[in-house]
Amino acid sequence: VIMGEESQASPQAGNQLEWVIDPIDGTVNFSHGLPFWCCSIAVRHQGKSLAGAVYAPELDELYTASLEAPAQCNGRPIRVSSCNTLADAIVLTGMDKTNDPNIPPLELFRTIAAHTQKARILGSAALDMCHVAAGRAEAYFESGVYVWDVAAAGLICEQAGGQSELLRPLPDHRIQFLSTNRLIHAPLKDLIEGVMVRASR
C-alpha cells in the first residue's frame, strides 16, 4: 500500500505495510535551484512509522532511522541539541497558506520569533526535522503540513533523542506537527497552543 503526494491518498492499509513517499519535499526550492530539498520514504504499520530515510541530494546527506536503530546521517550517529531554553533555541517553521481562520500563520511566526533566538523558514519540512535531529536547530513546527512530509523525519528526530507530536489532524492528510529536541517541547507547544486558542475566540 502506498501513500504519497502524487497519489494524495491510499486505500486503508489495515494490517499491511504502508509506504509513505514524498519524491521531492521542498519543490519550490528545487525549482529555483536552492539546495534545501529532499526525498523522503517511510514504512508504516497501522499508522506508526517503523523506518524512514530522508536524502538531500544537494547536501549529500542521507538521514536514516528505524524503531530498532538510532538516527544516523551518512552512517554516523546524530543527536538532538542540549539547548533547554526557548530563548536560546532556533525554531524552523513554514508559512501555511490555508484560509482557515483558526490558523493564523503570521501571528504564529511572530510569536515564535519573539520568544526564541531565531525563527527560520527553509522550505522543506522533512529536511527541517532532520536538522533538528542533527542538533542544528531545536525545533520544527508547521500549522499545516502533509503526512508524507513528516512520516520519515518525525521518526528520525525521535530516534535522535527528540520528540515528535501530531498536534491536530486537518482535512486531506494535513496535520499540525511539532518536532523538538524534547527539552523545549512543552514550553514551545504551550506557546503555539496559546496562539491557536486566541485565534479561535
Side-chain angles (χ1 to χ4, degrees):
V1 177
I2 295 176
M3 171 189 284
E5 186 169 9
E6 276 61 40
S7 63
Q8 292 291 319
S10 68
Q12 291 299 315
N15 202 40
Q16 301 179 69
L17 291 178
E18 180 182 37
W19 293 89
V20 185
I21 301 170
D22 191 353
I24 300 180
D25 178 35
T27 308
V28 174
N29 286 349
F30 171 80
S31 67
H32 284 264
L34 293 170
F36 297 109
W37 60 275
C38 62
C39 309
S40 175
I41 301 175
V43 59
R44 301 196 307 177
H45 184 249
Q46 296 182 341
K48 184 177 181 62
S49 292
L50 306 179
V54 173
Y55 181 54
E58 299 285 352
L59 306 177
D60 193 25
E61 292 181 344
L62 174 62
Y63 296 89
T64 59
S66 75
L67 287 180
E68 299 178 352
Q72 297 185 330
C73 179
N74 293 344
R76 297 181 179 180
I78 54 175
R79 191 75 184 170
V80 296
S81 82
S82 58
C83 173
N84 60 8
T85 59
L86 273 182
D88 296 322
I90 290 179
V91 177
L92 305 178
T93 187
M95 195 70 74
D96 185 29
K97 293 182 179 179
T98 179
N99 292 320
D100 186 343
N102 294 323
I103 301 177
L106 290 175
E107 185 180 350
L108 280 165
F109 186 86
R110 283 196 298 265
T111 300
I112 291 171
H115 289 82
T116 60
Q117 185 180 47
K118 289 291 180 181
R120 290 282 186 259
I121 298 177
L122 301 183
S124 170
L127 195 51
D128 283 355
M129 279 179 277
C130 289
H131 290 320
V132 175
R136 296 169 178 163
E138 280 64 54
Y140 160 81
F141 165 74
E142 194 152 349
S143 57
V145 70
Y146 289 96
V147 171
W148 43 82
D149 294 325
V150 304
L155 175 64
I156 291 168
C157 187
E158 288 183 335
Q159 293 301 96
Q163 183 173 351
S164 295
E165 183 178 1
L166 191 162
L167 300 182
R168 178 187 175 196
L170 300 169
D172 301 322
H173 303 293
R174 293 172 64 251
I175 54 177
Q176 288 181 5
F177 201 81
L178 176 65
S179 277
T180 71
N181 68 347
R182 190 174 295 273
L183 299 173
I184 65 162
H185 194 93
L188 182 55
K189 180 180 176 180
D190 288 344
L191 190 70
I192 291 165
E193 290 186 340
V195 176
M196 301 301 292
V197 168
R198 290 194 296 274
S200 65
R201 289 174 180 168

